[in-house]
Amino acid sequence: MTSATDRTELFHSLHKPGPLALANAWDVASALVVEAAGAKAVATTSAGVAWSLGAPDGDALQRERAVDLVARIVEAVQVPVSADIETGFGESAEAVGETVRAVSAAGASGVNIEDGLGAGQRDVAEQVERYVAAREAAPGIFINARIDTFLRQVGDPGDRFARTVERAARFVEAGASGIFVPGVSDVETITELAKEIGAPLNVLVGPGSPAVDVLAAAGVARVSLGSAVAEAAYAVARRAAEEMLTKGTYGSVEGAIAYGELNALFGR
């Protein structure tokens, strides 16, 4: 395994020109599967991580449990790891700094920090303080700043683009390495965001989203599936249970990774 510094430098470079394609993981097994599929990096999904550890998404998970999982994933895989730390697992900027310091010490090459809680956004000045603290805590780490203007449909629709670009500029100035704008899927808007934002742009994708090559042409540097992979995996579990309990059959688990193949990922 290369050093943590080398992996962090590599993670930064994967965004230029990009796009870095991330099928987000939520535990060691899913991280190993993603890596074995050929991924150049592993990123966690905060929702999937929280669910797997018995908590709802939304800063309900204890920081220590999240950091412990990051450390386990870093130890298991050979590629860089980026940790989704929700809004930072803390109310204050100092607490966010403590979280980022701990995640960096666990070996993560990047962090994803959300814009606020619920349907709103934190005041931009308050959020700037949180990014300043995060950058001071881990000078080399890739900080992906999530902006929820489109995802949460914040404010007047006519102002969303300008509001997003404004927040992005402030966050980059505060130390963000990249900007994550979930909730936008039309290529025209994505192209304009990529032009206006002075940092690598990350978008959230799923069924019906533009293909990776189309997003690359639009200037996107990073493409994430977010919680979609975990949601799909849990959907298989539900289908299998319902089928077995109602029909007495087992077709829902067809196409599974073979036991030996999956088990072998843990013995490298």
Side-chain angles (χ1 to χ4, degrees):
M1 180 182 292
T2 56
S3 71
T5 299
D6 290 341
R7 278 178 284 146
T8 298
E9 291 178 355
L10 172 60
F11 189 67
H12 278 268
S13 72
L14 292 173
H15 295 78
K16 302 173 183 178
L20 172 60
L22 297 171
N24 301 69
W26 61 97
D27 60 10
V28 172
S30 58
L32 287 168
V33 168
V34 167
E35 180 188 36
K40 296 179 180 179
V42 169
T44 64
T45 159
S46 66
V49 168
W51 297 334
S52 73
L53 295 175
D57 190 25
D59 281 350
L61 183 65
Q62 293 177 336
R63 174 198 290 155
E64 293 74 15
R65 300 191 73 194
V67 173
D68 176 69
L69 180 58
V70 171
R72 291 174 184 271
I73 291 175
V74 169
E75 184 178 4
V77 302
Q78 304 297 311
V79 297
V81 174
S82 181
D84 188 335
I85 57 171
E86 305 191 27
T87 68
F89 297 119
E91 288 298 320
S92 67
E94 292 76 14
V96 175
E98 291 173 9
T99 300
V100 173
R101 187 176 296 107
V103 169
S104 178
S109 299
V111 291
N112 190 82
I113 303 176
E114 297 174 10
D115 205 16
L117 295 171
Q121 294 172 303
R122 281 191 171 87
D123 176 79
V124 67
E126 180 183 359
Q127 193 70 354
V128 161
E129 291 178 358
R130 297 166 80 83
Y131 286 120
V132 169
R135 176 54 68 208
E136 291 176 348
I141 204 167
F142 191 104
I143 299 175
N144 202 35
R146 190 175 112 177
I147 298 177
D148 287 350
T149 315
F150 286 95
L151 181 67
R152 307 298 185 191
Q153 300 183 349
V154 178
D156 187 331
D159 296 335
R160 269 180 207 144
F161 184 91
R163 179 173 181 150
T164 301
V165 171
E166 178 185 0
R167 289 178 80 85
R170 294 287 302 277
F171 296 166
V172 171
E173 184 180 2
S177 312
I179 299 295
F180 181 23
V181 185
V184 58
S185 59
D186 66 282
V187 175
E188 182 178 353
T189 301
I190 291 171
T191 301
E192 291 304 310
L193 285 170
K195 289 179 181 178
E196 294 295 327
I197 293 174
L201 175 65
N202 180 192
V203 297
L204 185 67
V205 294
S209 297
V212 172
D213 60 346
V214 175
L215 293 171
V220 172
R222 178 166 165 175
V223 179
S224 304
L225 279 166
S227 62
V229 183
E231 291 166 1
Y234 293 132
V236 172
R238 182 171 66 181
R239 285 196 299 271
E242 290 176 345
E243 180 187 359
M244 187 178 189
L245 294 170
T246 60
K247 299 180 180 179
T249 55
Y250 327 105
S252 295
V253 294
E254 291 179 357
I257 300 175
Y259 170 87
E261 181 183 353
L262 185 57
N263 199 50
L265 295 177
F266 293 84
R268 294 180 305 169

